[in-house]
Amino acid sequence: MKTSLLEKIKQDLRALRLKDMADILENALEDAHRKKQGHLEFLDRLVQQQRRAMAERSLDRRVKQAKFPRKMTFENFDWGFQPALNVEYVKDLMQLDFISKRQAVLILGKTGTGKTHIATALGIKACQAGYRVLFFRLQNLLSLLYATLADDTTDEVIAGIARSHLLIIDHVDFIRTKNDYPSLLLDLVSACHQRVAMIFTTKISLEQWGEALGSPSITHAIVDRILHHARIINIRPGGRSYRTEGPHAPKLEETQELKS
């Protein structure tokens, strides 16, 4: 094949948005000649390369759009570290059937026990399965919704969030609250209820949510919707701190250096 024709085909592939096929075309041709591959085998290599690259880019976009705090996956989670964790139950959730069933998952446990890691890892796994995921800390989410009151775009923003497949709300805790926060959260949870799968992480009891948000009556309605067909991971009292004692925690020597 003439070089000019090879370059023309590459340009045509890129014009058709098949950049990854164009990138490997020359090597694929050389391999096909050396291995005496048939036309279909050669074409299959090009197509599979394009499909893999498109899938990787699509996954990267979903992960970026989710806005996870860090890349915390089950591959870098120490399953043997946390004796208070029901590992079998978490691995059952990894099948992601709670997303297709539009259920809520509530992860309870004291600070540092791995709640955010589990929630994020489930979210990344959902992204890998092709689901649209959004991740928020509760304080940031409510600040965002509160800001929409100024230009009357609350319904629009809530509708946008409710178009995701999985909504993760991390750090449900005592926050800097405002009078409108409880009703805004109720509006969001109501919009997502039985339409969007949700994950909540919290270190406080459900009874304390009303005090944390500032309205026990509205919070009761929120909790009622969350607990409807909910899946619960309860990292029982006494669970070790994954953050300070886990495999990625600072070593003792590092901690002493920071103090000195």
Side-chain angles (χ1 to χ4, degrees):
M1 181 180 291
K2 295 180 180 179
T3 303
S4 58
L5 181 55
L6 176 62
E7 291 304 318
K8 177 182 180 301
I9 293 173
K10 286 183 180 181
Q11 291 172 9
D12 289 342
L13 287 171
R14 292 190 173 98
L16 292 169
R17 299 184 179 180
L18 299 173
K19 173 184 177 298
D20 301 282
M21 291 177 69
D23 289 345
I24 70 162
L25 178 59
E26 197 163 356
N27 287 339
L29 282 168
E30 292 174 0
D31 286 347
H33 178 73
R34 185 174 66 256
K35 298 176 182 177
K36 301 188 185 309
Q37 290 178 340
H39 296 101
L40 287 178
E41 191 176 357
F42 164 71
L43 182 60
D44 179 63
R45 176 180 173 182
L46 293 181
V47 171
Q48 293 307 315
Q49 171 65 20
Q50 186 68 39
R51 287 192 63 181
R52 281 193 298 270
M54 289 176 65
E56 288 173 3
R57 284 195 292 272
S58 180
L59 172 59
D60 287 342
R61 281 195 300 272
R62 287 192 295 274
V63 169
K64 287 178 182 177
Q65 288 168 357
K67 297 182 179 178
F68 298 112
R70 296 186 302 281
K71 189 174 182 181
M72 294 180 281
T73 67
F74 287 118
E75 284 71 27
N76 58 26
F77 186 75
D78 185 349
W79 292 101
F81 171 79
Q82 186 54 270
L85 178 67
N86 186 332
V87 172
E88 291 74 15
Y89 191 74
V90 175
K91 290 189 174 181
D92 182 55
L93 287 174
M94 288 171 60
Q95 303 306 309
L96 304 180
D97 64 311
F98 74 94
I99 297 180
S100 59
K101 293 178 180 177
R102 299 175 178 85
Q103 293 176 311
V105 175
L106 187 60
I107 308 177
L108 304 99
K110 70 179 186 180
T111 299
T113 49
K115 302 183 300 298
T116 298
H117 195 134
I118 293 170
T120 302
L122 286 170
I124 290 176
K125 201 161 187 66
C127 288
Q128 292 169 341
Y131 290 114
R132 294 188 303 276
V133 181
L134 289 175
F135 183 105
F136 293 96
R137 286 182 68 118
L138 179 64
Q139 183 76 68
N140 296 338
L141 173 60
L142 291 176
S143 296
L144 169 68
L145 294 177
Y146 184 77
T148 66
L149 296 175
D151 57 4
D152 197 28
T153 57
T154 307
D155 291 344
E156 180 183 340
V157 171
I158 286 178
I161 294 173
R163 281 194 288 271
S164 61
H165 296 111
L166 173 61
L167 171 63
I168 302 174
I169 301 179
D170 191 33
H171 284 274
V172 179
D173 197 354
F174 289 94
I175 60 173
R176 300 183 303 277
T177 191
K178 296 182 183 292
N179 291 336
D180 292 301
Y181 278 9
S183 58
L184 286 168
L185 184 58
L186 176 59
D187 288 345
L188 176 62
V189 171
S190 296
C192 294
H193 181 56
Q194 295 187 316
R195 297 182 184 90
V196 180
M198 294 179 283
I199 297 176
F200 297 84
T201 75
T202 183
K203 69 177 183 180
I204 61 177
S205 69
L206 297 180
E207 290 77 11
Q208 293 176 294
W209 281 27
E211 182 185 353
L213 291 172
S215 176
S217 59
I218 295 178
T219 305
H220 177 78
I222 294 170
V223 172
D224 184 62
R225 285 162 175 76
I226 293 172
L227 290 181
H228 184 243
H229 298 309
R231 312 282 291 273
I232 299 176
I233 301 173
N234 188 2
I235 305 175
R236 297 179 297 277
R240 298 171 65 194
S241 172
Y242 194 84
R243 185 179 304 158
T244 60
E245 302 175 59
H248 306 294
K251 299 296 184 289
L252 180 60
E253 294 81 2
E254 296 172 3
T255 305
Q256 290 174 337
E257 287 175 8
L258 288 172
K259 288 181 179 179
S260 61

